[in-house]
Amino acid sequence: MAKANPLQFIQQVRTEVGKVVWPTRREVLLTTTMVFVLAAVAAVFFFLIDLAIRYGLTWLLGFFSQ
């Protein structure tokens, strides 16, 4: 592939940027909300798993220490 001079490069970049389909405000807000909701769900899930493992290990270690 041949190297383009700086002027051609800038023109090519402008052409490619013109092809970009930018998300609408509604799409951005919807996906942002989905990310926060899914992050919260994942945090609760891992908290519950951590809690279950902690109680399980505490019971197991308490059982064997007697």
Side-chain angles (χ1 to χ4, degrees):
M1 187 152 101
K3 289 187 176 182
N5 68 36
L7 185 59
Q8 288 175 328
F9 175 75
I10 291 172
Q11 289 172 341
Q12 291 172 356
V13 168
R14 284 187 176 178
T15 302
E16 291 301 317
V17 169
K19 295 177 184 177
V20 173
V21 179
W22 300 101
T24 64
R25 181 179 182 87
R26 184 177 185 278
E27 289 172 333
V28 171
L29 290 173
L30 183 63
T31 53
T32 302
T33 302
M34 288 173 61
V35 166
F36 280 115
V37 168
L38 290 176
V41 168
V44 170
F45 172 76
F46 286 115
F47 171 76
L48 293 174
I49 295 298
D50 181 58
L51 199 62
I53 291 171
R54 185 181 344 154
Y55 281 131
L57 285 176
T58 303
W59 175 82
L60 193 61
L61 293 173
F63 181 75
F64 285 119
S65 68
Q66 293 178 357

